[in-house]
Amino acid sequence: MRVGKGWVLALLLASVPLAQAQARAERPAQVRIVERPDGFVLLVDGQPFYVRGAGMRGDAREQDALAARGGNAFRTWQTGADTARVKAMLDHAQAKGLKVAMGIEVARERHGFDYDDPGAVEAQRARIRGEVLAWKDHPAVLMWVVGNELNLESTNPRVWNAVGALADMIHRLDPNHPVMTTVAGLDKPLVEAIKARAPALDLIGIQLYGDLDRLPEKLRQSQWTGPYLVTEWGPTGHWESPLTAWGAPIEDTSTDKARLLAQRYRQVIQADKRQGLGSFVFLWGQKQERTPTWYGLFLPDGTTTPAVDTLQWLWTGHWPRNRAPSIQAPTIDGQGARASVTLAPGSAHTASAPAQDPDGDALDYRWTVLRESQATSVGGDPETVPAQVDVAISDTANGAMRLVAPQAPGNYRLFVEVRDGQGHAATANLPFRVELIAEK
């Protein structure tokens, strides 16, 4: 078939954008932070990029869910030596249109690392150099996150000298991506130490939970005037929640968590148009930290909680077609967690946690009792899920059930999951105590 010269020219011109797009996909993104008259802006290949992100491991299933809900980026906490896993993670992110803030593990002083030991500091620097060289040219990389909450239970200010030296090194190796570190909370001495000892940082990551509403005040008092991301935020933390009489933290229901996420995002994160560049919610996944449900937005099998629906609405302006159930705080014999519920060994009781489904889906209640966690770790260190306790539970109507208290005295927690059969669930729990109760 003969093709005229005009068609040949048209085909050649049409191929130019495709070739340009392919070239962009194969080279590192050019990421910059610029200050404009109305505030700081994160630019990716020259276009404004407001981070709608989450913290997660980065598995394909997690990424797929994030992209489907309107997220555009995620952060990790470490890169590590498993290059096959990291490549698969970054390749999948690129395919899904997600950017990755690459976490670089930096030793914490509270874990025994000595920042006065030049050999140890140099060995860490050499490891990190290799990680940066391995991934700096991948097009999914957004920035580097050097360390996580290094100020937590730290007394040696030389940690910030090490962070500053790492930021300088990364800039020399990779001129295309910003470098940051994350901090737990924010105050003036911390900001002064970072400014003096790690001036090469392009921005900082601020991590706040129940205290997030005080972020504007903390920025003013600390005199941090540069750009930042909120790199961890979410439900009210276990360390700042109300306690029972024996010191067990009281967890919000998944419904209350979703409501608080919306409030904190709109009133604090989204409200800062001058310094804030976006956020990474915690946690796009599931983990045990005081309880198996406190921070994760998902259950272990991938079932989503109401917070995921809320984030989709915050990020896109649209609710999902089918939404998770809502749930009320559980009670035992009409008493909630704040009443410090105490039961006699082997005694029978009625527990209740009414739930509703916005779509009218049939609801399936699942009740379990676990021993109360004995963990005292801080900063997200690994914890073991407490042992499940075999107790007699019989379902009744309208979200209520009959519970026989454990025979052994001690501290326990009653958990309830309410599933809608559509991949969504509401969760709640109530700490209680079993002890011999003296007759009056």
Side-chain angles (χ1 to χ4, degrees):
M1 181 177 69
R2 296 181 63 186
V3 180
K5 292 181 179 179
W7 282 102
V8 172
L9 179 60
L11 288 170
L12 290 173
L13 290 174
S15 68
V16 171
L18 179 62
Q20 290 175 339
Q22 184 175 359
R24 285 196 298 271
E26 294 174 350
R27 63 170 173 77
Q30 309 295 304
V31 185
R32 299 283 184 272
I33 299 173
V34 299
E35 185 174 10
R36 295 175 174 173
D38 56 346
F40 293 96
V41 179
L42 181 66
L43 299 177
V44 177
D45 291 326
Q47 299 300 312
F49 188 94
Y50 186 80
V51 176
R52 304 186 304 273
M56 63 176 172
R57 175 178 165 81
D59 294 339
R61 184 178 71 172
E62 296 172 342
Q63 293 194 41
D64 292 346
L66 181 66
R69 296 290 187 150
N72 62 7
F74 63 93
R75 67 160 291 201
T76 64
W77 284 263
Q78 58 183 321
T79 300
D82 188 347
T83 56
R85 188 197 69 80
V86 178
K87 185 178 188 307
M89 177 189 76
L90 289 171
D91 288 349
H92 196 80
Q94 180 66 10
K96 301 301 293 188
L98 299 171
K99 293 297 182 187
V100 186
M102 297 288 285
I104 295 177
E105 188 171 14
V106 175
R108 301 183 188 184
E109 182 185 349
R110 64 189 177 88
H111 289 167
F113 192 88
D114 184 3
Y115 278 94
D116 290 323
D117 181 346
V121 172
E122 173 56 26
Q124 177 170 260
R125 187 203 65 81
R127 170 182 60 80
I128 292 171
R129 182 178 189 276
E131 293 178 3
V132 173
L133 288 173
W135 307 114
K136 67 183 182 67
D137 293 328
H138 198 287
V141 173
L142 178 67
M143 62 182 65
W144 298 100
V145 186
V146 178
N148 185 65
E149 296 185 344
L150 297 172
N151 62 313
L152 201 60
E153 295 188 353
S154 175
T155 59
N156 190 342
R158 289 189 179 181
V159 65
W160 302 119
N161 295 80
V163 168
L166 289 169
D168 280 326
M169 178 190 73
I170 294 172
H171 282 141
R172 291 193 298 271
L173 298 173
D174 177 10
N176 297 314
H177 301 104
V179 182
M180 67 182 302
T181 192
T182 74
V183 294
L186 194 69
D187 58 38
K188 190 172 182 181
L190 174 61
V191 166
E192 289 176 345
I194 290 174
K195 286 180 177 179
R197 296 172 182 268
L201 291 171
D202 299 288
L203 72 162
I204 60 171
I206 302 170
Q207 308 194 161
L208 294 167
Y209 287 83
D211 217 17
L212 185 63
D213 61 346
R214 294 187 57 221
L215 177 56
E217 174 190 349
K218 289 176 179 290
L219 288 167
R220 288 192 301 271
Q221 292 180 348
S222 69
Q223 297 181 14
W224 178 261
T225 58
Y228 69 88
L229 284 161
V230 180
T231 40
E232 281 187 25
W233 69 285
T236 302
H238 60 268
W239 64 92
E240 52 194 356
S241 294
L243 305 175
T244 64
W246 55 90
I250 298 172
E251 180 178 345
D252 286 327
T253 68
S254 60
T255 298
D256 287 334
K257 291 176 187 177
R259 175 183 56 80
L260 288 169
L261 282 182
Q263 176 182 312
R264 290 164 181 167
Y265 188 84
R266 298 178 73 183
Q267 295 182 6
V268 181
I269 294 173
Q270 206 172 41
D272 188 349
K273 307 294 186 183
R274 173 149 194 85
Q275 293 175 255
L277 304 179
S279 68
F280 296 97
V281 69
F282 187 87
L283 170 73
W284 198 264
Q286 185 273 339
K287 70 173 296 194
Q288 162 68 31
E289 190 166 354
R290 292 310 188 269
T291 77
T293 56
W294 203 298
Y295 298 98
L297 302 177
F298 295 76
L299 301 185
D301 63 358
T303 297
T304 64
T305 65
V308 177
D309 295 346
T310 296
L311 288 165
Q312 177 176 329
W313 172 65
L314 292 169
W315 290 339
T316 70
H318 303 287
W319 291 101
R321 181 187 59 81
N322 188 279
R323 291 173 59 182
S326 62
I327 193 169
Q328 297 179 35
T331 60
I332 296 178
D333 296 338
Q335 292 187 309
R338 290 175 182 262
S340 297
V341 177
T342 301
L343 311 178
S347 56
H349 305 272
T350 298
S352 178
Q356 299 81 35
D357 189 86
D359 310 292
D361 297 324
L363 297 178
D364 174 31
Y365 278 77
R366 303 181 185 185
W367 300 87
T368 55
V369 173
L370 303 184
R371 290 193 175 275
E372 182 65 23
S373 172
Q374 300 299 308
T376 58
S377 56
V378 297
D381 288 347
E383 295 181 14
T384 301
V385 178
Q388 183 170 334
V389 181
D390 187 16
V391 297
I393 292 176
S394 56
D395 289 329
T396 59
N398 301 320
M401 65 89 173
R402 295 292 292 172
L403 166 72
V404 177
Q407 290 290 343
N411 301 333
Y412 300 88
R413 196 173 286 253
L414 175 66
F415 289 83
V416 58
E417 294 177 5
V418 184
R419 295 175 179 251
D420 67 353
Q422 305 293 325
H424 318 125
T427 64
N429 64 70
L430 186 156
F432 67 95
R433 186 168 193 158
V434 173
E435 65 180 28
L436 294 173
I437 299 176
E439 294 185 4
K440 296 183 180 179

Short mmCIF file of all heavy atoms in Angstrom, two decimals, residues 53 206-209 212 230-235 260-262 264-265 269 279-283 311 314-315:
data_model
loop_
_atom_site.label_atom_id
_atom_site.label_comp_id
_atom_site.label_asym_id
_atom_site.label_seq_id
_atom_site.Cartn_x
_atom_site.Cartn_y
_atom_site.Cartn_z
N GLY A 53 -0.69 10.33 50.14
CA GLY A 53 0.04 9.08 50.29
C GLY A 53 -0.24 8.33 51.56
O GLY A 53 -1.01 8.74 52.42
N ILE A 206 7.17 15.31 59.56
CA ILE A 206 6.65 15.49 60.92
C ILE A 206 5.64 14.39 61.20
O ILE A 206 4.74 14.15 60.39
CB ILE A 206 6.02 16.88 61.09
CG1 ILE A 206 7.05 17.96 60.77
CG2 ILE A 206 5.48 17.06 62.50
CD1 ILE A 206 6.48 19.36 60.68
N GLN A 207 5.76 13.73 62.38
CA GLN A 207 4.91 12.60 62.70
C GLN A 207 4.14 12.88 63.99
O GLN A 207 4.73 12.97 65.07
CB GLN A 207 5.77 11.33 62.77
CG GLN A 207 6.60 11.19 61.50
CD GLN A 207 7.24 9.86 61.24
OE1 GLN A 207 7.61 9.57 60.13
NE2 GLN A 207 7.40 9.04 62.26
N LEU A 208 2.83 13.04 63.84
CA LEU A 208 1.95 13.36 64.94
C LEU A 208 0.65 12.57 64.78
O LEU A 208 0.20 12.33 63.65
CB LEU A 208 1.62 14.86 64.97
CG LEU A 208 2.78 15.83 65.26
CD1 LEU A 208 2.36 17.25 64.94
CD2 LEU A 208 3.19 15.73 66.73
N TYR A 209 0.03 12.23 65.88
CA TYR A 209 -1.22 11.46 65.83
C TYR A 209 -2.34 12.27 66.49
O TYR A 209 -2.89 13.17 65.87
CB TYR A 209 -1.00 10.08 66.47
CG TYR A 209 -0.17 9.20 65.57
CD1 TYR A 209 1.22 9.28 65.55
CD2 TYR A 209 -0.79 8.31 64.70
CE1 TYR A 209 1.96 8.49 64.69
CE2 TYR A 209 -0.06 7.50 63.84
CZ TYR A 209 1.32 7.60 63.84
OH TYR A 209 2.06 6.82 62.99
N LEU A 212 -1.98 16.04 66.30
CA LEU A 212 -1.83 16.68 64.99
C LEU A 212 -2.50 18.05 64.94
O LEU A 212 -2.03 18.95 64.24
CB LEU A 212 -2.39 15.78 63.89
CG LEU A 212 -2.19 16.27 62.46
CD1 LEU A 212 -0.70 16.35 62.10
CD2 LEU A 212 -2.93 15.39 61.46
N VAL A 230 3.73 15.62 56.35
CA VAL A 230 3.30 14.87 57.52
C VAL A 230 3.50 13.40 57.15
O VAL A 230 2.72 12.84 56.38
CB VAL A 230 1.84 15.16 57.90
CG1 VAL A 230 1.45 14.33 59.13
CG2 VAL A 230 1.66 16.64 58.18
N THR A 231 4.55 12.79 57.67
CA THR A 231 4.96 11.47 57.20
C THR A 231 4.35 10.32 57.99
O THR A 231 4.48 9.16 57.59
CB THR A 231 6.49 11.36 57.20
OG1 THR A 231 7.02 11.99 58.37
CG2 THR A 231 7.07 12.04 55.98
N GLU A 232 3.74 10.62 59.12
CA GLU A 232 2.90 9.66 59.82
C GLU A 232 1.79 10.44 60.51
O GLU A 232 2.06 11.43 61.19
CB GLU A 232 3.66 8.84 60.88
CG GLU A 232 4.49 7.70 60.32
CD GLU A 232 5.09 6.83 61.43
OE1 GLU A 232 4.54 6.80 62.55
OE2 GLU A 232 6.13 6.21 61.18
N TRP A 233 0.57 9.98 60.35
CA TRP A 233 -0.57 10.52 61.06
C TRP A 233 -1.67 9.48 60.95
O TRP A 233 -1.60 8.56 60.14
CB TRP A 233 -1.02 11.86 60.48
CG TRP A 233 -1.62 11.76 59.10
CD1 TRP A 233 -0.96 11.56 57.92
CD2 TRP A 233 -3.02 11.83 58.77
NE1 TRP A 233 -1.84 11.51 56.88
CE2 TRP A 233 -3.11 11.68 57.37
CE3 TRP A 233 -4.18 12.03 59.51
CZ2 TRP A 233 -4.33 11.69 56.70
CZ3 TRP A 233 -5.40 12.04 58.84
CH2 TRP A 233 -5.46 11.89 57.46
N GLY A 234 -2.68 9.60 61.79
CA GLY A 234 -3.74 8.62 61.75
C GLY A 234 -4.60 8.69 62.99
O GLY A 234 -4.99 9.77 63.43
N PRO A 235 -4.89 7.53 63.59
CA PRO A 235 -5.73 7.53 64.80
C PRO A 235 -4.98 8.11 65.98
O PRO A 235 -3.76 8.31 65.94
CB PRO A 235 -6.02 6.03 65.02
CG PRO A 235 -4.83 5.33 64.42
CD PRO A 235 -4.47 6.16 63.22
N LEU A 260 -12.18 11.02 62.76
CA LEU A 260 -11.03 11.83 63.16
C LEU A 260 -10.07 12.04 62.01
O LEU A 260 -9.45 13.11 61.89
CB LEU A 260 -10.33 11.16 64.34
CG LEU A 260 -11.08 11.22 65.68
CD1 LEU A 260 -10.42 10.30 66.70
CD2 LEU A 260 -11.14 12.65 66.20
N LEU A 261 -9.89 11.03 61.15
CA LEU A 261 -9.02 11.21 59.99
C LEU A 261 -9.53 12.35 59.11
O LEU A 261 -8.74 13.20 58.67
CB LEU A 261 -8.98 9.92 59.16
CG LEU A 261 -8.11 8.77 59.65
CD1 LEU A 261 -8.17 7.62 58.67
CD2 LEU A 261 -6.66 9.20 59.85
N ALA A 262 -10.82 12.37 58.85
CA ALA A 262 -11.38 13.44 58.01
C ALA A 262 -11.17 14.80 58.66
O ALA A 262 -10.77 15.77 57.99
CB ALA A 262 -12.86 13.18 57.77
N ARG A 264 -8.87 15.73 60.91
CA ARG A 264 -7.45 16.11 60.97
C ARG A 264 -6.91 16.46 59.59
O ARG A 264 -6.10 17.39 59.44
CB ARG A 264 -6.65 14.98 61.61
CG ARG A 264 -6.94 14.84 63.09
CD ARG A 264 -6.48 13.53 63.70
NE ARG A 264 -6.83 13.49 65.13
CZ ARG A 264 -6.79 12.41 65.89
NH1 ARG A 264 -6.41 11.25 65.37
NH2 ARG A 264 -7.12 12.48 67.16
N TYR A 265 -7.35 15.73 58.58
CA TYR A 265 -6.85 16.02 57.24
C TYR A 265 -7.34 17.38 56.76
O TYR A 265 -6.55 18.20 56.27
CB TYR A 265 -7.33 14.93 56.28
CG TYR A 265 -6.72 15.01 54.89
CD1 TYR A 265 -5.48 14.46 54.63
CD2 TYR A 265 -7.38 15.66 53.86
CE1 TYR A 265 -4.90 14.53 53.37
CE2 TYR A 265 -6.82 15.74 52.59
CZ TYR A 265 -5.58 15.18 52.35
OH TYR A 265 -5.02 15.26 51.10
N ILE A 269 -3.87 19.23 57.81
CA ILE A 269 -2.97 18.90 56.69
C ILE A 269 -3.33 19.71 55.46
O ILE A 269 -2.49 20.43 54.90
CB ILE A 269 -3.02 17.39 56.41
CG1 ILE A 269 -2.44 16.61 57.59
CG2 ILE A 269 -2.25 17.07 55.12
CD1 ILE A 269 -2.60 15.12 57.47
N SER A 279 0.93 14.45 52.69
CA SER A 279 1.05 13.56 53.84
C SER A 279 1.06 12.09 53.43
O SER A 279 0.66 11.73 52.32
CB SER A 279 -0.12 13.80 54.80
OG SER A 279 -1.34 13.37 54.22
N PHE A 280 1.53 11.27 54.38
CA PHE A 280 1.47 9.81 54.28
C PHE A 280 0.74 9.29 55.52
O PHE A 280 1.27 9.36 56.63
CB PHE A 280 2.89 9.21 54.24
CG PHE A 280 3.69 9.61 53.03
CD1 PHE A 280 4.60 10.66 53.10
CD2 PHE A 280 3.55 8.94 51.83
CE1 PHE A 280 5.35 11.02 52.00
CE2 PHE A 280 4.30 9.29 50.71
CZ PHE A 280 5.20 10.34 50.80
N VAL A 281 -0.46 8.77 55.34
CA VAL A 281 -1.23 8.25 56.46
C VAL A 281 -0.62 6.93 56.92
O VAL A 281 -0.02 6.19 56.14
CB VAL A 281 -2.71 8.08 56.06
CG1 VAL A 281 -2.88 6.96 55.05
CG2 VAL A 281 -3.60 7.88 57.28
N PHE A 282 -0.80 6.62 58.20
CA PHE A 282 -0.28 5.38 58.79
C PHE A 282 -1.45 4.56 59.32
O PHE A 282 -2.27 5.07 60.09
CB PHE A 282 0.67 5.72 59.94
CG PHE A 282 1.39 4.55 60.54
CD1 PHE A 282 2.58 4.11 59.99
CD2 PHE A 282 0.87 3.89 61.64
CE1 PHE A 282 3.25 3.04 60.54
CE2 PHE A 282 1.54 2.82 62.19
CZ PHE A 282 2.73 2.39 61.64
N LEU A 283 -1.62 3.34 58.90
CA LEU A 283 -0.74 2.48 58.12
C LEU A 283 -1.59 1.84 57.04
O LEU A 283 -2.64 1.27 57.33
CB LEU A 283 -0.11 1.41 59.01
CG LEU A 283 0.65 0.29 58.32
CD1 LEU A 283 1.99 0.70 57.75
CD2 LEU A 283 0.84 -0.87 59.27
N LEU A 311 -10.57 8.13 53.28
CA LEU A 311 -9.41 8.65 52.54
C LEU A 311 -9.73 8.79 51.06
O LEU A 311 -9.31 9.77 50.41
CB LEU A 311 -8.21 7.73 52.76
CG LEU A 311 -7.59 7.83 54.16
CD1 LEU A 311 -6.67 6.65 54.43
CD2 LEU A 311 -6.83 9.14 54.33
N LEU A 314 -11.56 11.97 50.76
CA LEU A 314 -10.68 13.12 50.95
C LEU A 314 -9.79 13.35 49.74
O LEU A 314 -9.51 14.48 49.36
CB LEU A 314 -9.82 12.92 52.20
CG LEU A 314 -10.56 12.94 53.54
CD1 LEU A 314 -9.63 12.47 54.65
CD2 LEU A 314 -11.09 14.34 53.85
N TRP A 315 -9.31 12.27 49.13
CA TRP A 315 -8.37 12.37 48.01
C TRP A 315 -9.05 12.64 46.67
O TRP A 315 -8.46 13.26 45.79
CB TRP A 315 -7.56 11.09 47.90
CG TRP A 315 -6.56 10.89 49.01
CD1 TRP A 315 -6.04 11.84 49.84
CD2 TRP A 315 -5.98 9.65 49.43
NE1 TRP A 315 -5.17 11.29 50.72
CE2 TRP A 315 -5.10 9.94 50.50
CE3 TRP A 315 -6.08 8.33 49.00
CZ2 TRP A 315 -4.34 8.96 51.15
CZ3 TRP A 315 -5.34 7.35 49.64
CH2 TRP A 315 -4.48 7.65 50.70
#
